[in-house]
Amino acid sequence: MEDFWSGVGVDLHLEPDAAEGRRAGLERALRDAVREGRLAPGTRLPATRRLAAELGMSRGTAKAAYDQLVAEGYLRARQGSGTEVAALPTDGMAPAAGDPHTRAPRFDLRPGSPDVGTFPAAAWLRALRRAIASAPSMAYDYGDPRGRIELRTALSEYLGRARGVIAPPERIVITSGYVQGLALLTRVLDGGVVAMEDPGLPFHRDVVRRAGGRVVPLPVDERGLRAAELGEEDAVVVTPAHQYPTGVTLRPERRRALTDWARAHGRLVVEDDYDGEFRYDRQPVGALQGMAPGHVVYLGTASKTLGPALRLGWMVLPPHLVDAVADAKLHSDHHTESIGQLALAEMLTAHAYDRHVRACRLRYRRRRDQLVSLLGAHRRVRGIAAGLHALVEVPDEAEVLDRAAREGLAVGRLGDHWHTPGEGRPQGLVVGYGTPRERVYPEALEALGRVLGGVRRGRASTR
């Protein structure tokens, strides 16, 4: 058996069996590589002359093997372009054409994502070029688990100015998104009992549980988290700027109750500020962290402002937690990738990030206004003052979701967010107006209008 490496633009690794004969062994090795997916469709193969020279066989033998696999449909030969791997039929079952629940949605109004088509590619590229041009060589080595000092310094200025966060650079840890930050913090707390909003995002509850924490529900009403019901829990996770999924903003007296509880019991408040920059009726509400920086962990990300694919988040920690979280980060993934950190630092320092957030705020406000106009005064809708989603109350989620599926429309379901689903719970649609691309958003709203138009009306009020 002979191993070899070759390639035109790619390295090619095969193991032809000499016992089968040169041609048969090459055919079998190539055929297996294509079947197993090690050679992807479109991969260009070496010229027969080069392949034959590396294998120590005649060019005619190599050409005959190629010709056989072309005839079998594994390879494709193009005049002037050489030989490449063909796309094979898949064995997977396609969704049934008549089942609307298995088709990919035509319109996506699910919450949780921004319009990724608005990613500021030109501004990011400029920032990336400037960052790389000025980066020290050590930026390409292993780094501080807390993150690049350039980004931590830029975030310190930005968060203090725009969100009211007390954030010295030495108390900031850069993470690969919110989920990693929440998991790291739960590990540092050695599990413990963590109160989480009810309703809230099930995935975040799973993150806490998988990191060793025990989750208990804490109800949310029209004034936000019911902080007065906190007891001996070790920590509480809250979304004060725009609660997910109800959309309410935590009222001032509840904010004070949270920080008073944390101080009195030596406990921790975890503030998830995932879309705190997007407020439409007035200036964005300042972060809770500024009220009790010694007892509040502030978590933010670039996922809603720039895009989830960047995987850039940050934690602003009380002094006594910095070293422990940095050590947990070190033993989790050492540190978040550095080049993206440098680019974001450049955007923040040059205020390109501020300009992008302001442009997005105006764009999403127009979308919010279009949604409110569609709903009119005939449906009860919450959470329209901020964020990228709204909660539309409906009398029967199952009926509405069935109609939505037939329209090719995907929306969120309030019932999925309760800690313990059951009868008697309020029902509603969680409508995300950030996800669709600009050109399809009006059509998505029309589909939503058709869905809601065929459902019994609830109480006629809007807030």
Side-chain angles (χ1 to χ4, degrees):
M1 184 175 294
E2 178 183 11
D3 288 2
F4 72 92
W5 290 89
S6 177
V8 177
V10 296
D11 287 327
L12 179 63
H13 176 78
L14 299 171
E15 295 181 347
D17 190 346
E20 296 181 83
R22 291 181 180 274
R23 173 180 164 180
L26 178 57
E27 287 178 10
R28 196 265 317 162
L30 284 167
R31 190 182 294 113
D32 288 351
V34 174
R35 282 175 174 169
E36 295 167 4
R38 290 184 285 114
L39 287 177
T43 301
R44 188 179 174 190
L45 298 182
T48 54
R49 186 187 305 276
R50 181 170 180 175
L51 182 63
E54 293 186 354
L55 284 175
M57 63 175 59
S58 71
R59 182 184 179 191
T61 299
K63 185 177 185 305
Y66 275 15
D67 289 344
Q68 179 62 31
L69 293 178
V70 168
E72 294 178 11
Y74 289 95
L75 303 181
R76 179 174 53 192
R78 290 186 173 183
Q79 187 68 29
S81 299
T83 305
E84 63 183 36
V85 178
L88 299 181
T90 61
D91 295 328
M93 294 293 291
D99 186 355
H101 298 282
T102 58
R103 293 198 301 265
R106 182 183 177 195
F107 304 112
D108 194 348
L109 288 177
R110 287 173 292 191
S113 293
D115 179 0
V116 293
T118 65
F119 179 78
W124 182 261
L125 184 58
R126 287 193 297 269
L128 191 60
R129 284 173 173 163
R130 288 194 294 265
I132 291 177
S134 60
S137 59
M138 293 302 293
Y140 302 97
D141 202 349
Y142 295 109
D144 189 331
R146 293 176 300 171
R148 294 293 307 180
I149 186 59
E150 296 91 339
L151 179 56
R152 291 188 285 123
T153 300
L155 280 170
S156 176
E157 188 276 334
Y158 171 77
L159 293 174
R161 168 173 54 81
R163 302 297 300 126
V165 177
I166 299 171
E170 63 272 15
R171 286 170 51 186
I172 297 176
V173 172
I174 305 302
T175 64
S176 299
Y178 170 82
V179 166
Q180 186 186 44
L182 183 60
L184 292 174
L185 191 60
T186 305
R187 294 190 192 108
V188 166
L189 294 175
D190 196 21
V193 180
V194 181
M196 301 188 76
E197 296 169 325
D198 189 19
L201 194 63
F203 180 68
H204 289 173
R205 298 197 289 267
D206 290 342
V207 169
V208 171
R209 292 188 183 107
R210 285 172 179 263
R214 182 164 72 87
V215 174
V216 296
L218 199 62
V220 172
D221 59 27
E222 68 278 0
R223 305 179 74 83
L225 183 82
R226 281 153 59 173
E229 298 185 23
L230 283 165
E232 297 300 317
E233 296 86 357
D234 298 287
V236 56
V237 181
V238 61
T239 51
H242 189 238
Q243 201 274 335
Y244 187 86
T246 67
V248 301
T249 298
L250 189 65
R251 296 296 178 89
E253 66 275 13
R254 299 275 177 94
R255 293 162 71 95
R256 288 192 294 271
L258 263 181
T259 54
D260 288 347
W261 168 82
R263 288 192 185 96
H265 299 277
R267 301 297 196 251
L268 204 64
V269 176
V270 182
E271 178 177 13
D272 177 3
D273 196 34
Y274 72 102
D275 61 2
E277 292 93 344
F278 299 124
R279 182 86 191 192
Y280 308 121
D281 58 345
R282 54 187 167 89
Q283 182 179 359
V285 178
L288 181 70
Q289 189 264 4
M291 298 175 62
H295 295 275
V296 178
V297 175
Y298 176 90
L299 296 176
T301 77
S303 295
K304 298 301 184 293
T305 53
L306 293 176
L310 294 180
R311 308 312 305 141
L312 285 172
W314 42 88
M315 309 172 72
V316 182
L317 296 155
H320 68 282
L321 289 177
V322 174
D323 289 344
V325 171
D327 183 70
K329 172 70 173 172
L330 175 68
H331 290 87
S332 172
D333 64 355
H334 206 298
H335 64 88
T336 298
E337 67 88 17
S338 298
I339 307 307
Q341 292 188 54
L342 293 174
L344 180 56
E346 179 66 33
M347 282 193 73
L348 286 164
T349 303
H351 301 305
Y353 185 81
D354 291 74
R355 292 190 292 272
H356 173 70
V357 168
R358 287 197 298 271
C360 286
R361 191 181 295 134
L362 292 174
R363 182 180 299 108
Y364 292 138
R365 178 173 181 168
R366 287 194 295 269
R367 291 192 180 192
R368 188 283 308 262
D369 291 347
Q370 288 176 273
L371 175 63
V372 172
S373 177
L374 169 76
L375 297 173
H378 302 290
R379 295 212 169 267
R380 187 175 173 87
V381 56
R382 296 182 180 182
I384 60 174
L388 302 180
H389 76 274
L391 176 64
V392 182
E393 294 185 5
V394 296
D396 189 334
E397 287 178 351
E399 176 191 352
V400 178
L401 291 173
D402 184 67
R403 292 178 61 87
R406 296 183 187 283
E407 286 283 349
L409 173 68
V411 291
R413 175 178 175 267
L414 178 59
D416 293 333
H417 295 80
W418 299 105
H419 284 239
T420 307
E423 292 187 8
R425 296 283 198 181
Q427 299 191 53
L429 305 182
V430 187
V431 180
Y433 48 85
T435 303
R437 298 292 180 90
E438 198 74 24
R439 59 182 175 80
V440 301
Y441 183 63
E443 294 181 74
L445 286 185
E446 289 176 7
L448 178 64
R450 290 191 296 270
V451 169
L452 294 177
V455 182
R456 299 186 309 275
R457 297 283 186 189
R459 289 184 292 171
S461 66
T462 302
R463 66 179 178 185

